[in-house]
Amino acid sequence: MVRSSGTKRAILDAALELAATRGITGTTMDDVAERAGVAKGSLYYNFSSKDQLFEALLEEGVGALAENLRAARGTLVGWEAIEALVGALLDRIAANAALAKLMASEIFRTDRAWQKTLFALRHEALAVFAEAIEEAGAGAVAPDAAAPASGTSTIMAASVFGAVLMSGLEWLVFEPERSRDEVAAAILASLSGAFAPR
Amino acid sequence: MVRSSGTKRAILDAALELAATRGITGTTMDDVAERAGVAKGSLYYNFSSKDQLFEALLEEGVGALAENLRAARGTLVGWEAIEALVGALLDRIAANAALAKLMASEIFRTDRAWQKTLFALRHEALAVFAEAIEEAGAGAVAPDAAAPASGTSTIMAASVFGAVLMSGLEWLVFEPERSRDEVAAAILASLSGAFAPR
């Protein structure tokens, strides 16, 4: 991942702020230039089009997320790996709620110019969860639950990812008075069979 | 919930189809009239503004979802209630992927005219999960997991809801060859402590 600085950074930050409230479609290059405080020539020098700008933004964000998840997991295995990944994803969401909201609304769209890039990066982030899930032995399900079919670790990874994404945003948007650790504990409880038969 | 028919129904369906690919911001009232095959006068007779149209659309969709979840749960308790709710939500997502995508991108936006309506309905749908979770005794967590703080059942409900929403869309968009039951089993495995210490 290339870390951007100076003008490029200001443009990316402005684009994210605007898109978080107005959506990508509601954000124009004129708006971005104004918010970033750069001339339009400079904006187009750095990003040739709005599509290219948002592709770079999502690429940077989701790419950094995958890196971050991999680092958080380190050499942990089993439930400890899941705990570390849930915590790391929750922290990323808290650190950049605007990006998390944008991701939530973009990851399943199939009409965007940046679809291919986002698909690859999304898959990379999910793969970190899927690997941990496979290693944790997803076969050991609750006694009366149907056993998951083989090869469903990406579906399970999406399930865990979605659990953290939605409850993380629920926390930030609607219950900001809660502590990070309370929220992490609630998510882990929901994933650890708290309400499943034992 | 009021079921719409005739012209109103055609308008709502057209608006959903358009918004699912272009987003709400990218959809104009002109587009909606054209897609629905109605005159603009008729469109504005039924919905006075684009905001009112999308508020009605989300109200209908999320309201129906809450009703549907409540019916699916019926008198079930414990893990059986969770299983029924996960299955019912997954089926709703499969039946109307366009609406599920729109919900995923709208539920955390706080800048929309319909924010209050959507907030109330979202809460209603989550409440069905939260009640089932509370009754299933969320206290019984895995031995070495931190106990969830009291009153976090809405966070846990968001976690379960997000798990189903994201894995459901993952299935429909990226792994459509899987069966509904495979996907439901994978989600339930991820929520039943399949990879948690026992």
Side-chain angles (χ1 to χ4, degrees):
Chain A
M1 200 196 80
V2 181
R3 308 248 167 217
S4 312
S5 60
T7 306
K8 219 163 191 155
R9 182 75 273 148
I11 292 169
L12 288 166
D13 291 346
L16 177 58
E17 272 174 57
L18 289 167
T21 40
R22 305 175 188 185
I24 294 177
T25 311
T27 301
T28 67
M29 288 294 262
D30 281 350
D31 298 335
V32 174
E34 200 192 322
R35 173 72 66 109
V38 303
K40 278 193 77 176
S42 174
L43 172 58
Y44 280 98
Y45 173 80
N46 283 283
F47 301 98
S48 62
S49 66
K50 188 175 126 179
D51 279 352
Q52 208 223 313
L53 168 55
F54 279 101
E55 172 152 10
L57 182 63
L58 288 164
E59 193 171 344
E60 181 188 64
V62 185
L65 175 63
E67 265 183 38
N68 199 278
L69 291 173
R70 221 167 266 288
R73 182 186 169 180
T75 56
L76 296 173
V77 290
W79 181 244
E80 285 186 351
I82 305 291
E83 279 182 316
L85 289 173
V86 166
L89 177 56
L90 188 61
D91 289 339
R92 293 311 304 161
I93 294 167
N96 201 340
L99 185 66
K101 285 187 201 179
L102 202 61
M103 268 184 57
S105 64
E106 285 295 323
I107 40 180
F108 294 110
R109 287 187 72 149
T110 48
D111 61 318
R112 299 291 211 187
W114 48 78
Q115 187 183 329
K116 246 177 130 172
T117 308
L118 189 57
F119 174 82
L121 287 165
R122 191 194 116 281
H123 194 80
E124 212 179 303
L126 279 188
V128 188
F129 278 92
E131 280 164 32
I133 286 168
E134 273 164 33
E135 287 176 28
V141 290
D144 70 346
S150 68
T152 50
S153 61
T154 306
I155 297 281
M156 293 178 76
S159 177
V160 175
F161 196 99
V164 182
L165 184 59
M166 181 141 170
S167 50
L169 288 173
E170 179 76 22
W171 164 43
L172 297 171
V173 176
F174 299 113
E175 304 194 24
E177 70 284 1
R178 298 208 175 272
S179 74
R180 181 266 188 203
D181 290 350
E182 263 183 337
V183 176
I187 299 169
L188 289 168
S190 80
L191 297 172
S192 64
F195 29 81
R198 313 220 117 218
Chain B
M1 201 196 81
V2 182
R3 308 246 167 220
S4 311
S5 61
T7 306
K8 219 164 192 154
R9 181 76 273 145
I11 293 169
L12 288 166
D13 290 346
L16 177 59
E17 272 173 56
L18 289 166
T21 39
R22 306 175 186 184
I24 294 178
T25 311
T27 301
T28 67
M29 288 292 263
D30 281 350
D31 298 335
V32 174
E34 199 192 323
R35 171 74 64 112
V38 303
K40 278 193 78 178
S42 173
L43 172 57
Y44 280 98
Y45 174 80
N46 282 283
F47 300 99
S48 62
S49 67
K50 187 175 127 179
D51 280 352
Q52 208 223 313
L53 167 56
F54 279 102
E55 173 153 9
L57 182 62
L58 288 163
E59 195 171 343
E60 182 188 63
V62 185
L65 175 62
E67 264 183 38
N68 199 277
L69 291 173
R70 221 167 267 288
R73 184 189 166 178
T75 55
L76 296 173
V77 290
W79 182 244
E80 285 186 351
I82 306 290
E83 280 182 316
L85 289 173
V86 165
L89 177 56
L90 189 62
D91 289 338
R92 293 311 304 161
I93 294 167
N96 200 339
L99 185 65
K101 284 187 202 179
L102 201 61
M103 268 184 56
S105 65
E106 286 294 323
I107 41 179
F108 294 110
R109 287 187 71 150
T110 48
D111 61 318
R112 299 290 211 188
W114 49 79
Q115 186 183 330
K116 247 175 128 175
T117 307
L118 188 57
F119 174 82
L121 286 165
R122 189 194 118 281
H123 194 79
E124 213 179 302
L126 279 188
V128 188
F129 278 92
E131 281 164 31
I133 286 168
E134 273 164 33
E135 286 175 29
V141 291
D144 70 344
S150 68
T152 51
S153 60
T154 305
I155 298 281
M156 293 178 75
S159 178
V160 175
F161 196 99
V164 181
L165 183 59
M166 182 142 169
S167 50
L169 288 173
E170 179 76 23
W171 164 43
L172 296 171
V173 176
F174 299 113
E175 305 193 25
E177 71 285 1
R178 296 206 176 277
S179 73
R180 181 265 189 204
D181 289 350
E182 263 182 338
V183 176
I187 299 169
L188 289 168
S190 79
L191 296 173
S192 64
F195 29 82
R198 315 218 119 219

